[in-house]
């Protein structure tokens, strides 16, 4: 079972690979679009990579609720 | 003839001979070949194991994350376009973006993305296919990305006329300026599909050289030993500008794009008309459009791709439309055949030939075809005063484009 810190750090790796986000900028309070400048197509890539990394399914209708890194961490923590 | 003068104020390129225009032109004048063995594993099983591959990889120029969202043909189009833009002194210039257009095409488009994503689809399923796939493979992608980068708002156009694409893009760019729709047009062509599938397709047409043991000798237009073209990748970009607009901002002018001629053969999907009738009509139209006669054209950068039939047909066409006097060359002997980018790169070679009063060589013309009765700058660059010169580009489908450039 991964901790919230481990999930955040895993997401930071994905965000760097997919969208060039500086890992130091990734924190639970940050919004994917407003703070980290992740566009909609890149967000799709982030979701698919996160599913593989954490062994979860993130349905499309759930993605719209994942506004911040913290939202994604909570979803992954609850579902993996 | 048009009463609107169109001039060339910027050049950009990334090619098998160099990562920019200066290095590409130096290599041409030195008679260097950009053809080499393909090192990728698939070449072992391929009939054709040689290609004219980019001298500078896009990853040396563009950021990694940006490249993830660009097909290789889009990446190199952006690289060439940015060079041309900077070369024209437009990076910091205040120009009206609603008077800026893009005319930029590709022969084959984003096929590398299509093929690579199909591999992912087969191996890992549809969910793993990149969400960037469509904008990466669409044939208007290169033009669209350039338009976004330069904030062009007078229209973005993408032509697809096979190996005549680059030249047709310049012709359309000129028409756009003449019609009054824009003051500046970023025009050119791009191609990047070195991959086993197009290689198998072209090889099975018997269109490509199989001189696998001697790559630098493989592209040999008009030589008796020619056995097909050498597949190349690259991009060429040109800034076209209304002459008065260029003058008003004090821009350096390379040459005038004085005339264009576009025709179609209506003959065969891949075979050129053996007498080059459509090609000759394109040349005649371009010369008339420039307000000149055949006698004024002292140099022709020929389409001549190193195929047995096409090279000699074009000679017939040049004699019909221009005469027996022009000094010819085929820079494809060095660059390979850049397909949709060829017309743009070879236009750049004509523009620089006019500027420097020198015709770049046709290398490997060791044993000229008996029917070659025109003068070619064989082996070595040749000095020539060039008031006016022509570029020819022909493409599968029967597309013929001739462009006439004159000294500004």
């Amino acid at each position: 079972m991964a901790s919230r810190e481990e999930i955040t750090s895993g997401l930071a790796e994905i965000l760097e690979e997919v969208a060039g986000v500086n890992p130091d900028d990734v924190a639970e309070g940050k919004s994917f679009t407003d703070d980290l400048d992740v566009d909609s197509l890149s967000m799709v890539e982030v979701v698919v990579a996160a599913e593989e990394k954490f062994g979860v399914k993130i349905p499309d209708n759930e993605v719209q609720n994942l506004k911040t890194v913290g939202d994604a961490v909570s979803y992954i923590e609850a579902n993996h | 003839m048009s009463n609107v003068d169109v001039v060339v104020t910027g050049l950009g390129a990334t090619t098998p001979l160099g990562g920019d225009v200066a290095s590409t032109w130096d290599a041409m004048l030195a008679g260097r070949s950009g053809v080499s063995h393909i090192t990728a594993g698939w070449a072992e099983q391929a009939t054709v194991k040689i290609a004219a591959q980019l001298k500078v990889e896009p990853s040396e120029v563009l950021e990694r994350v940006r490249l993830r969202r660009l097909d290789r043909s889009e990446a190199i189009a952006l690289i060439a376009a940015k060079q041309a833009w900077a070369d024209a002194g437009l990076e910091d210039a205040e120009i009206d973006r609603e008077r800026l257009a893009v005319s930029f095409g590709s022969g084959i488009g984003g096929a590398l993305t299509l093929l690579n994503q199909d591999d992912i689809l087969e191996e890992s399923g549809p969910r793993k296919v990149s969400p960037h796939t469509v904008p990466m493979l669409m044939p208007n992608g290169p033009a669209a990305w350039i338009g976004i980068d330069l904030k062009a708002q007078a229209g973005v156009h993408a032509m697809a006329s096979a190996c005549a694409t680059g030249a047709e893009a310049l012709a359309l760019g000129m028409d756009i300026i003449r019609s009054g729709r824009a003051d500046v047009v970023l025009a050119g062509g791009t191609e990047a599909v070195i991959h086993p599938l197009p290689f198998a397709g072209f090889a099975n047409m018997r269109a490509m050289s199989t001189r696998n043991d001697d790559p630098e000798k493989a592209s040999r237009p008009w030589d008796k030993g020619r056995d097909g073209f050498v597949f190349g990748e690259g991009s060429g970009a040109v800034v076209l500008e209304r002459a008065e607009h260029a003058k008003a901002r004090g821009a350096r002018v390379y040459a005038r794009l004085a005339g264009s001629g576009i025709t179609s053969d209506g003959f065969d999907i891949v075979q050129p008309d053996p007498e080059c009738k459509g090609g000759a009509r394109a040349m005649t139209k371009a010369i008339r459009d420039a307000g000149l006669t055949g006698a004024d054209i002292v140099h022709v950068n020929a389409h001549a791709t190193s195929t047995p039939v096409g090279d000699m047909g074009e000679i017939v066409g040049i004699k019909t439309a221009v005469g027996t006097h022009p000094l010819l060359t085929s820079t494809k002997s060095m660059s390979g055949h850049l397909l949709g980018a060829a017309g743009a790169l070879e236009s750049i070679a004509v523009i620089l030939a006019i500027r420097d009063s020198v015709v770049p060589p046709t290398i490997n013309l060791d044993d000229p075809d008996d029917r070659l009765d025109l003068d070619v700058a064989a082996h070595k660059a040749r000095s020539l005063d060039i008031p006016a010169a022509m570029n020819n580009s022909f493409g599968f489908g029967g597309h013929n484009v001739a462009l006439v450039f004159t000294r500004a």
Side-chain angles (χ1 to χ4, degrees):
Chain A
M1 191 84 172
S3 69
R4 290 188 72 88
E5 289 72 24
E6 284 163 349
I7 297 170
T8 304
S9 139
L11 285 172
E13 280 175 31
I14 293 169
L15 286 162
E16 183 184 26
E17 167 69 20
V18 166
V21 175
N22 183 344
D24 295 341
D25 293 343
V26 178
E28 289 207 19
K30 295 287 181 71
S31 155
F32 288 109
T33 50
D34 298 340
D35 298 325
L36 303 178
D37 212 18
V38 179
D39 65 24
S40 62
L41 295 187
S42 297
M43 193 62 200
V44 176
E45 287 190 279
V46 170
V47 166
V48 172
E51 285 184 337
E52 185 164 27
K53 193 175 195 92
F54 300 109
V56 293
K57 283 306 273 182
I58 309 177
D60 284 352
N61 60 5
E62 196 60 50
V63 173
Q64 60 195 1
N65 300 325
L66 307 181
K67 308 271 191 228
T68 65
V69 173
D71 295 340
V73 172
S74 297
Y75 184 88
I76 291 165
E77 191 178 36
N79 291 278
H80 82 307
Chain B
M1 270 188 81
S2 164
N3 57 8
V4 177
D5 256 359
V6 177
V7 295
V8 177
T9 55
L11 304 176
T14 181
T15 77
L17 295 168
D20 58 19
V21 169
S23 56
T24 298
W25 183 235
D26 285 350
M28 282 185 179
L29 293 182
R32 284 203 285 277
S33 170
V35 184
S36 60
H37 287 109
I38 299 166
T39 52
W42 60 262
E44 284 171 29
Q45 291 188 30
T47 309
V48 174
K49 305 173 193 301
I50 55 175
Q53 300 163 93
L54 284 176
K55 188 88 172 174
V56 176
E57 278 296 307
S59 57
E60 293 176 43
V61 185
L62 295 178
E63 290 168 14
R64 179 190 64 83
V65 173
R66 181 130 213 226
L67 281 173
R68 280 174 60 89
R69 298 162 195 191
L70 296 171
D71 181 76
R72 187 171 172 88
S73 66
E74 296 175 336
I76 61 177
L78 263 179
I79 290 168
K82 285 164 168 287
Q83 288 176 4
W85 194 248
D87 187 48
L90 286 164
E91 268 181 324
D92 304 311
E94 295 279 322
I95 67 156
D96 183 355
R97 305 291 160 148
E98 292 186 15
R99 302 277 302 161
L100 168 64
V102 176
S103 173
F104 216 97
S106 167
I108 299 181
L112 272 189
T113 293
L114 179 68
L115 292 160
N116 291 340
Q117 292 298 322
D118 185 59
D119 289 344
I120 291 170
L121 175 71
E122 299 291 332
E123 285 161 22
S124 311
R127 200 159 164 82
K128 289 291 169 63
V129 170
S130 168
H132 301 290
T133 299
V134 172
M136 286 171 75
L137 69 80
M138 63 192 194
N140 58 317
W145 277 117
I146 292 167
I148 292 163
D149 211 73
L150 304 181
K151 300 181 171 56
Q153 292 161 36
V156 165
H157 306 268
M159 43 272 314
S161 44
C163 304
T165 300
E168 190 169 341
L170 268 64
L172 177 71
M174 182 175 69
D175 285 349
I176 290 171
I177 294 172
R178 282 177 170 182
S179 73
R181 187 146 70 81
D183 295 320
V184 181
V185 179
L186 195 306
T190 184
E191 204 74 71
V193 282
I194 295 178
H195 178 284
L197 190 120
F199 261 63
F202 278 113
N204 292 346
M205 292 173 86
R206 310 294 189 267
M208 292 204 287
S209 172
T210 55
R211 197 179 286 262
N212 294 320
D213 56 346
D214 200 359
E216 297 193 349
K217 302 281 186 201
S219 186
R220 41 197 316 116
W222 300 304
D223 186 86
K224 275 181 187 160
R226 69 190 186 277
D227 70 332
F229 75 85
V230 173
F231 205 101
E233 58 177 353
S235 181
V238 169
V239 174
L240 300 176
E241 194 163 349
R242 190 161 57 80
E244 287 171 16
H245 187 272
K247 191 177 175 189
R249 68 178 186 91
R252 178 231 11 232
V253 172
Y254 282 100
R256 288 174 69 224
L257 175 49
S260 74
I262 300 178
T263 66
S264 46
D265 283 347
F267 173 71
D268 189 272
I269 194 68
V270 290
Q271 293 295 332
D273 179 327
E275 292 164 40
C276 195
K277 291 196 286 285
R281 284 190 295 118
M283 293 181 235
T284 300
K285 280 171 184 274
I287 293 165
R288 280 194 194 140
D289 188 37
L292 302 176
T293 66
D296 297 314
I297 306 296
V298 300
H299 163 51
V300 178
N301 191 313
H303 183 65
T305 62
S306 184
T307 59
V309 177
D311 287 13
M312 296 320 300
E314 185 178 8
I315 294 296
V316 176
I318 291 170
K319 284 192 286 192
T320 303
V322 185
T324 55
H325 60 280
L327 177 57
L328 310 189
T329 198
S330 170
T331 42
K332 289 189 184 78
S333 61
M334 301 174 284
S335 66
H337 188 359
L338 269 49
L339 310 185
L345 176 60
E346 288 145 28
S347 290
I348 290 169
V350 168
I351 292 158
L352 294 176
I354 291 171
R355 182 194 69 177
D356 294 348
S357 298
V358 62
V359 171
T362 300
I363 63 168
N364 299 324
L365 184 51
D366 300 327
D367 189 8
D369 190 300
D370 294 333
R371 294 163 293 170
L372 178 65
D373 50 2
L374 299 182
D375 194 11
V376 176
H379 302 302
K380 286 196 179 318
R382 212 186 293 177
S383 294
L384 185 74
D385 181 50
I386 309 175
M390 187 162 68
N391 167 235
N392 282 342
S393 292
F394 311 139
F396 278 177
H399 307 271
N400 309 296
V401 181
L403 301 174
V404 169
F405 295 90
T406 61
R407 199 151 50 205

